[in-house]
Amino acid sequence: MADMMLDQLEVGKPVKIEKDGKTICVARVGDEVFAVDDTCSHSEASLSEGEVTDFKIECWLHGAEFDLRTGVALTLPANISLQTYAVKIDGNSVTVQI
Ligand code: FES
């Protein structure tokens, strides 16, 4: 079952979803969609409240940036990668695969 509809996912406006006991940040970049752990690897901040630029998401709390494609922490204070999840897009349906 789809987690969300592509046309409801605004570019630059990540959303938070709960799935299989995990809290996941879903972000659209162009026609691609990426899913990473919602909790920043530095501390307890929700990345879905952060800002997306190109393929990066910036934590609103202390400014760490992560690559949405790989989960890699690009800037301090975070130095631990985020878990990423595959996203399947089928027409307008978006499904995060856990
Ligand atoms: S909680 Fe995200 S950078 Fe500190």
Side-chain angles (χ1 to χ4, degrees):
M1 203 182 79
D3 294 310
M4 67 202 74
M5 295 296 139
L6 186 62
D7 62 7
Q8 289 171 349
L9 205 49
E10 276 181 60
V11 173
K13 280 215 167 179
V15 298
K16 176 160 83 175
I17 67 163
E18 305 277 343
K19 187 168 183 179
D20 293 354
K22 295 185 187 290
T23 308
I24 298 167
C25 170
V26 182
R28 178 172 177 174
V29 180
D31 282 331
E32 290 182 273
V33 178
F34 300 94
V36 296
D37 275 339
D38 187 62
T39 305
C40 182
S41 64
H42 176 239
S43 191
E44 294 289 312
S46 174
L47 289 173
S48 54
E49 290 166 37
E51 203 163 303
V52 174
T53 313
D54 299 326
F55 291 98
K56 287 185 296 193
I57 189 161
E58 182 179 341
C59 179
W60 59 272
L61 194 52
H62 309 112
E65 292 177 307
F66 299 90
D67 190 315
L68 285 165
R69 297 166 292 190
T70 60
V72 168
L74 301 169
T75 54
L76 294 172
N79 56 13
I80 300 168
S81 298
L82 299 170
Q83 167 94 47
T84 58
Y85 303 92
V87 176
K88 188 165 165 254
I89 301 177
D90 184 7
N92 195 31
S93 300
V94 178
T95 309
V96 177
Q97 296 175 318
I98 295 186

